[in-house]
C-alpha cells in the first residue's frame, strides 16, 4: 500500500468546511477527519493556477511508485510530464443535467477510481488523488440545492454548469448570488458524504490507520466576493485560503485534533509530505509570510497585514488588516499608506520561497 495518500478537492475554500467555522453546511465527515488529524488554520496557495501550484506540491516527490488519480484534464496533462509511475484518468461521462442520485455524480465516479487504485498499489510510495470538485461540473441532485433554500427564496438554479462571471457588487441581484451559494453548498454535501464512504472503506480495510493521509485543496472557488464568481485570477482569501488536515498513522506519536495557527503554503506542505515518506512530519516548517502570485499581481500576507499589488507599476495596491479582516473586505490602503510603502520598499520574494 502507499505510505502517503494526498487527497485534493479542487475549489474548496477554507470558508466552506465545518471545522473552519462554516455553520451553514453540515460536514460530518470533514468534522471527524479534523478531530482525527492535525488541522492547519492558515494554509495559503502560492497561486490559484494549477500550472503553478502542482509543480510546487510535487517538487522532488514524484519517484518510483508514485500514482496520480484525477478527473481534471489540466492535472492529468501536468501529471503526464511530472514523472508519475502511473496516471489514472477518473473522468466520467459528460452529463448535460443534474444527477438524480449521489451515486450518479462525478464525485462518486472519482472515488470509485480512487478506491480501485489504492487496492492495486503495492508500493511504499505516494498516491495523489485530485478531484475536480467545485472546479468541475456542479451536478449534485437538485433536492440538495433546495435543502438550502428558505420558503421565501426563489428556486435554486438547475444548471449543471459551474457559474463563472464578474459583476459590480452594487448592481448584482442578491438572489443570483444566493443561488450560487446554494449550489456550492449542495456540492459540498455530496463531497462530504462520498468522502465518508471512501474513508470508511479505507478504515474497514485497515489502510486508513497505516498511511499518512493529507486532505487539502489547491484553491478556493469565489462565490461573489469582490464581484467574482469562478475565476481563478485573483489573490483574495476566498481563492487562496484553503483547508489542510494531516492524519497520521495510528501510533504513540500521532496527534489527535491538534490545530496549528502558523502559516503554511504548498512549499511547506511539500516538505511535510517528504517527511511523511521518510517516517514523520513532526517539525512543521511554518513560513513568516505567505507570498502568492498570479499574472502580474502579487500578495504578501505576514499575519498582521496583507498587501495585494500590481507587480509591474505598484500603482494599484490594496491593504487588509489581519487577522481581523479574514476575507479581505475592508481595504485600508488609503489610510495606511505607510504600511503599503513599507511593503513595496522591501524585497519581493518569489512565490513558494520560504
Amino acid at each position: 500500500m502507499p505510505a502517503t495518500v494526498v487527497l485534493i478537492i479542487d475549489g474548496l475554500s477554507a470558508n466552506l468546511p465545518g471545522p473552519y467555522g462554516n455553520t451553514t453546511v453540515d460536514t460530518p465527515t470533514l468534522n471527524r477527519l479534523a478531530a482525527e488529524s492535525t488541522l492547519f488554520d492558515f494554509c495559503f496557495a502560492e497561486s490559484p493556477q494549477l500550472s503553478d501550484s502542482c509543480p510546487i506540491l510535487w517538487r522532488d516527490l514524484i519517484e518510483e511508485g508514485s500514482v496520480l488519480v484525477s478527473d481534471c484534464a489540466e492535472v492529468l496533462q501536468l501529471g503526464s510530464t511530472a514523472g508519475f509511475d502511473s496516471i489514472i484518468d477518473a473522468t466520467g461521462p459528460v452529463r448535460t443535467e443534474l444527477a438524480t442520485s449521489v451515486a450518479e455524480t462525478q464525485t462518486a465516479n472519482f472515488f470509485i477510481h480512487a478506491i480501485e487504485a489504492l487496492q492495486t498499489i503495492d508500493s511504499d510510495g505516494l498516491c495523489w488523488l485530485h478531484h475536480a470538485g467545485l472546479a468541475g461540473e456542479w451536478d449534485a441532485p437538485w433536492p440538495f440545492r433546495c435543502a438550502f433554500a428558505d420558503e421565501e427564496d426563489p428556486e435554486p438554479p438547475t444548471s449543471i454548469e459551474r457559474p463563472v462571471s464578474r459583476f459590480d457588487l452594487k448592481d448584482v441581484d442578491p438572489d443570483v448570488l444566493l443561488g450560487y451559494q446554494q449550489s456550492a453548498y449542495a456540492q459540498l454535501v455530496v463531497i462530504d458524504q462520498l468522502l465518508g464512504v471512501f474513508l470508511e472503506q479505507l478504515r474497514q480495510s485497515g489502510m486508513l490507520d497505516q498511511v499518512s493521509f493529507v486532505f487539502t485543496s489547491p484553491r478556493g472557488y469565489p462565490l461573489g466576493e469582490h464581484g467574482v464568481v469562478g475565476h481563478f485570477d485573483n489573490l483574495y482569501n476566498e481563492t487562496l485560503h484553503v483547508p489542510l488536515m494531516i492524519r497520521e498513522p495510528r501510533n504513540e506519536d500521532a496527534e489527535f485534533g491538534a490545530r496549528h495557527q502558523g502559516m503554511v503554503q504548498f512549499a511547506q506542505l511539500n516538505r511535510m509530505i517528504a517527511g511523511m515518506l521518510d517516517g514523520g512530519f513532526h517539525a512543521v516548517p511554518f513560513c513568516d509570510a505567505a507570498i502568492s502570485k498570479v499574472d502580474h499581481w502579487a500578495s504578501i500576507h505576514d499575519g498582521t497585514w496583507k498587501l495585494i499589488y500590481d507587480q509591474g507599476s505598484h500603482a494599484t495596491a490594496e491593504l487588509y488588516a489581519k487577522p481581523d479582516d479574514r476575507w479581505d473586505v475592508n481595504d485600508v490602503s488609503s489610510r495606511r499608506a505607510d504600511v503599503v510603502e513599507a511593503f513595496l520598499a522591501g524585497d519581493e520574494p518569489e512565490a513558494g520561497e520560504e
Side-chain angles (χ1 to χ4, degrees):
M1 69 179 66
T4 302
V5 177
V6 181
L7 174 60
I8 299 284
I9 304 292
D10 207 339
L12 195 62
S13 170
N15 64 357
L16 288 179
Y20 287 82
N22 186 0
T23 58
T24 303
V25 186
D26 187 19
T27 55
T29 300
L30 290 172
N31 296 349
R32 179 177 181 181
L33 181 61
E36 298 175 349
S37 304
T38 296
L39 184 146
F40 294 82
D41 279 309
F42 299 106
C43 179
F44 299 97
E46 281 90 343
S47 169
Q49 301 295 324
L50 296 176
S51 57
D52 295 325
S53 60
C54 284
I56 294 173
L57 283 164
W58 293 342
R59 185 182 300 152
D60 299 327
L61 295 179
I62 310 307
E63 301 175 348
E64 183 178 356
S66 299
V67 177
L68 170 66
V69 181
S70 180
D71 56 355
C72 172
E74 183 177 2
V75 171
L76 290 168
Q77 179 61 39
L78 291 168
S80 68
T81 60
F84 282 95
D85 258 11
S86 176
I87 297 178
I88 298 172
D89 185 347
T91 304
V94 177
R95 300 184 59 89
T96 59
E97 56 187 19
L98 301 181
T100 59
S101 69
V102 171
E104 291 182 0
T105 62
Q106 174 56 26
T107 302
N109 181 74
F110 167 79
F111 277 121
I112 288 172
H113 281 83
I115 290 171
E116 291 175 349
L118 289 175
Q119 290 174 340
T120 61
I121 297 172
D122 56 8
S123 68
D124 199 31
L126 172 66
C127 185
W128 194 275
L129 309 175
H130 186 286
H131 174 36
L134 270 70
E137 293 180 345
W138 288 23
D139 61 353
W142 194 63
F144 281 63
R145 299 183 179 187
C146 294
F148 294 99
D150 294 329
E151 290 184 4
E152 64 275 13
D153 292 337
E155 286 191 347
T158 58
S159 173
I160 194 173
E161 295 182 5
R162 67 179 180 92
V164 178
S165 65
R166 301 182 194 275
F167 48 80
D168 190 319
L169 287 172
K170 299 189 300 292
D171 301 329
V172 67
D173 182 348
D175 286 338
V176 173
L177 293 185
L178 177 63
Y180 295 158
Q181 293 168 357
Q182 292 163 342
S183 302
Y185 293 162
Q187 292 301 123
L188 178 58
V189 170
V190 168
I191 290 169
D192 190 80
Q193 286 188 9
L194 291 169
L195 174 60
V197 175
F198 172 73
L199 292 178
E200 186 57 30
Q201 293 218 20
L202 298 189
R203 201 183 308 272
Q204 290 181 4
S205 70
M207 183 184 295
L208 186 60
D209 287 337
Q210 298 178 48
V211 302
S212 295
F213 185 83
V214 179
F215 177 88
T216 189
S217 178
R219 57 196 176 181
Y221 196 96
L223 289 171
E225 309 92 340
H226 300 96
V228 176
V229 175
H231 287 282
F232 303 115
D233 58 0
N234 67 86
L235 298 174
Y236 297 112
N237 271 12
E238 62 266 18
T239 308
L240 295 180
H241 188 186
V242 295
L244 173 59
M245 307 177 204
I246 298 178
R247 187 184 192 277
E248 296 183 82
R250 284 302 174 254
N251 56 55
E252 65 276 8
D253 297 322
E255 290 191 85
F256 298 84
R259 297 185 81 109
H260 284 304
Q261 298 293 307
M263 287 192 294
V264 296
Q265 293 196 270
F266 292 156
Q268 287 74 43
L269 177 55
N270 172 274
R271 289 175 56 188
M272 286 189 276
I273 295 173
M276 292 175 217
L277 294 171
D278 288 336
F281 80 102
H282 299 290
V284 179
F286 295 115
C287 57
D288 294 329
I291 312 297
S292 304
K293 297 185 179 182
V294 63
D295 300 330
H296 57 89
W297 292 94
S299 71
I300 305 175
H301 183 335
D302 68 359
T304 302
W305 301 99
K306 175 180 176 181
L307 181 74
I308 302 175
Y309 65 99
D310 187 327
Q311 295 181 88
S313 66
H314 288 186
T316 303
E318 300 174 18
L319 183 69
Y320 301 96
K322 301 297 176 180
D324 294 340
D325 191 354
R326 184 177 181 184
W327 301 110
D328 307 337
V329 175
N330 186 27
D331 178 10
V332 297
S333 58
S334 61
R335 301 201 298 273
R336 293 306 307 266
D338 58 320
V339 176
V340 175
E341 291 173 5
F343 266 119
L344 296 179
D347 294 332
E348 298 174 18
E350 293 296 322
E353 182 173 317
E354 299 173 24

